[in-house]
Amino acid sequence: MIKIKLRANEFFYFTAYFLLCFSAIVYTDSYLSGLFPSGTNSALRYASLLLFLLSLLQNKWRPLEFILWGLIGAAVISAAVLSDRSMLVIYIMAIISGRNIEFEKIKKFVISANIICTLTVLISCFLGLIPNQIYTHVNTDSFTQANSLGFKYYSNLSTIAFLVSTLILSLKNRKFRRWPCILVLLIINFVIYIFATTRLTFILFLFEVVLVVLISKYNVFKIRNNRFWRTIATVAFPFFAGICLWVSYTFSYEVDWMRALNSLLNGRLRFNRQGIFEYGLTPLGQKIEMVGGTDVANSRKQLTYFYIDSGYIYTLLAYGVIVFALLIIGYSLIFRSAVIKGDMGLFVCCSLICIHALINNIFINIALNPFLILVPSILTERSFRKNYLSSKGRRSKRMKLQWNLKKANTDNRYY
């Protein structure tokens, strides 16, 4: 059982966060939206934004911090207006206002809120209040059926389960990385895979379990302030983003390995390329008209299907180059900080998000993925110098100490 003790000044923040999760999972991603009065989602979002703002007003700011986050906030709000994605405004408010709240508490709260919201949808579906939309995948010699279980698309549930499992495995308490907990999470994700046929997400979760076992149980990777892993953490997100952009831009059915990879990724490369050439790059984003599986299920023609699943490509096209660059820098700082601190749970999470963003757009979905909330604390003056620059500082201190000891030993020979 996850226990959360709240201080009075955290009440606004976590209330706003629950409304955000409820809006994202129960209203936006499920068929329960049809049972609520019109305007409910707008009311949830405005209330969440107001409460985040009240939480933000209780924080104290240094002048440079205020200017920095003011500029970042202006860029994100501009991207929200141009891309017609109002949730970006709430996301940036959640990130900024969470700077003085312990991140472990935030993770526990997100886990609890997401489980409550998900169970609300599943129970409503089992009671017959909302439909279980069935999607049929026709293969060469067979077909498979994917169940949405009350959600608007069959992959919604598997994505939520994957991210909640990732958060649970990243908690500081080691009991969440013991075999009983790992087996329970494995069974839950496997059952969801059977119903939803989300192969890629389940494979990625299996990879996560292997990483957790190797690191937590057998200590195979010693990452704490290791120079090699610091380098990997610094370049991982830019590297994967660059590879994703290059492969998508140069994709061609005439290249065998690209055609095979596109088939493995269920056509993602094709739609990535279509998006790049149809919309192009802008500094602060643009509105992208997409037709997803839910639209096709609701009578839109299959030939009109166009959906960019990749978090890297969608963020770059929809939110613009500036916001995309800020996200890559933010995740790189978090990843590097995980290595310098030796935080195995955060290291695994960053690794998974880096890979998962290739196939799914959870790059900047604070309701499910709260890790960007770490950025303000990393960028605070003392924390930033300690965590980001400590590699050089500790090395220089160690070298100075070794030189002093060597000098002392040399001097002792003359006595």
Side-chain angles (χ1 to χ4, degrees):
M1 184 71 179
I2 298 175
K3 297 181 180 180
I4 304 172
K5 295 181 180 180
L6 298 181
R7 300 195 306 268
N9 64 341
E10 297 170 340
F11 175 77
F12 290 134
Y13 187 84
F14 287 115
T15 303
Y17 217 125
F18 181 81
L19 294 178
L20 174 62
C21 294
F22 191 89
S23 171
I25 297 175
V26 176
Y27 197 94
T28 304
D29 286 345
S30 84
Y31 287 108
L32 276 173
S33 57
L35 303 181
F36 291 94
S38 60
T40 299
N41 203 29
S42 297
L44 289 170
R45 293 181 179 184
Y46 280 123
S48 178
L49 183 62
L50 177 61
L51 290 169
F52 276 132
L53 181 60
L54 291 174
S55 177
L56 177 64
L57 293 176
Q58 300 181 38
N59 293 338
K60 295 181 179 179
W61 294 87
R62 296 186 180 93
L64 288 178
E65 286 180 327
F66 183 81
I67 294 172
L68 173 62
W69 285 104
L71 293 173
I72 293 174
V76 173
I77 292 172
S78 299
V81 172
L82 293 172
S83 64
D84 195 24
R85 293 278 293 177
S86 60
M87 290 296 287
L88 276 182
V89 180
I90 303 177
Y91 291 160
I92 190 63
M93 290 295 293
I95 292 170
I96 298 174
S97 57
R99 58 193 289 271
N100 291 328
I101 298 178
E102 184 185 350
F103 187 63
E104 193 72 5
K105 279 187 177 181
I106 295 177
K107 285 195 293 185
K108 291 178 180 179
F109 187 86
V110 173
I111 292 168
S112 301
N114 284 350
I115 290 175
I116 291 171
C117 292
T118 302
L119 288 177
T120 300
V121 176
L122 292 176
I123 292 172
S124 300
C125 180
F126 293 146
L127 292 176
L129 299 177
I130 53 178
N132 171 31
Q133 189 74 45
I134 297 178
Y135 296 79
T136 302
H137 303 290
V138 180
N139 303 317
T140 304
D141 54 354
S142 62
F143 68 92
T144 56
Q145 290 185 330
N147 297 268
S148 71
L149 299 177
F151 289 90
K152 290 182 179 178
Y153 198 56
Y154 66 89
S155 65
N156 291 145
L157 180 58
S158 63
T159 300
I160 295 170
F162 170 76
L163 291 172
V164 169
S165 300
T166 300
L167 285 170
I168 291 174
L169 292 174
S170 73
L171 292 173
K172 290 182 179 179
N173 194 326
R174 293 183 179 181
K175 71 179 182 181
F176 294 107
R177 289 182 291 279
R178 292 174 182 166
W179 283 115
C181 183
I182 292 176
L183 289 175
V184 169
L185 294 176
L186 192 60
I187 291 171
I188 291 173
N189 280 269
F190 178 73
V191 171
I192 292 174
Y193 159 67
I194 294 299
F195 279 96
T197 68
T198 46
R199 180 185 69 249
L200 294 176
T201 302
F202 182 67
I203 291 173
L204 196 56
F205 178 71
L206 291 178
F207 174 71
E208 179 181 9
V209 170
V210 171
L211 269 182
V212 169
V213 171
L214 290 177
I215 293 175
S216 301
K217 300 294 183 182
Y218 301 105
N219 199 23
V220 173
F221 304 115
K222 297 180 180 179
I223 66 168
R224 187 176 183 86
N225 211 18
N226 180 278
R227 180 183 298 180
F228 171 76
W229 289 112
R230 283 201 313 269
T231 303
I232 294 294
T234 304
V235 304
F237 278 95
F239 175 78
F240 274 86
I243 289 294
C244 184
L245 181 60
W246 174 76
V247 173
S248 300
Y249 182 80
T250 60
F251 169 72
S252 173
Y253 281 106
E254 296 178 359
V255 181
D256 292 340
W257 68 269
M258 284 187 172
R259 185 172 64 253
L261 182 60
N262 182 62
S263 177
L264 178 66
L265 298 177
N266 298 324
R268 284 175 169 83
L269 294 182
R270 168 196 164 192
F271 295 117
N272 288 351
R273 175 182 169 82
Q274 181 180 339
I276 292 171
F277 281 92
E278 186 172 336
Y279 290 96
L281 303 183
T282 60
L284 288 171
Q286 59 195 311
K287 184 176 181 179
I288 296 181
E289 297 286 350
M290 296 196 295
V291 179
T294 304
D295 301 308
V296 173
N298 294 327
S299 76
R300 290 291 294 270
K301 293 182 179 180
Q302 180 69 40
L303 294 176
T304 63
Y305 182 90
F306 167 65
Y307 200 88
I308 301 175
D309 286 287
S310 171
Y312 292 113
I313 301 300
Y314 182 82
T315 303
L316 181 60
L317 298 180
Y319 303 146
V321 175
I322 295 175
V323 173
F324 177 78
L326 290 173
L327 283 172
I328 294 295
I329 293 170
Y331 274 115
S332 298
L333 288 174
I334 297 169
F335 208 171
R336 183 180 171 90
S337 177
V339 172
I340 292 173
K341 294 177 182 178
D343 190 333
M344 298 293 186
L346 185 58
F347 176 83
V348 172
C349 289
C350 289
S351 303
L352 270 294
I353 292 171
C354 187
I355 300 172
H356 196 249
L358 293 168
I359 62 172
N360 211 327
N361 186 20
I362 49 90
F363 217 32
I364 184 171
N365 187 344
I366 302 299
L368 302 177
N369 170 21
F371 291 100
L372 283 172
I373 297 172
L374 281 169
V375 174
S377 64
I378 293 175
L379 287 179
T380 54
E381 184 178 1
R382 181 179 300 178
S383 179
F384 180 76
R385 290 177 179 176
K386 180 180 178 181
N387 294 336
Y388 192 79
L389 303 178
S390 62
S391 56
K392 294 181 179 179
R394 290 178 182 175
R395 188 164 60 249
S396 61
K397 288 180 181 179
R398 187 164 56 248
M399 293 175 64
K400 184 176 180 180
L401 178 61
Q402 291 174 349
W403 185 86
N404 288 336
L405 289 174
K406 184 177 180 180
K407 184 177 183 297
N409 292 334
T410 303
D411 293 340
N412 287 337
R413 288 186 301 177
Y414 295 96
Y415 290 92

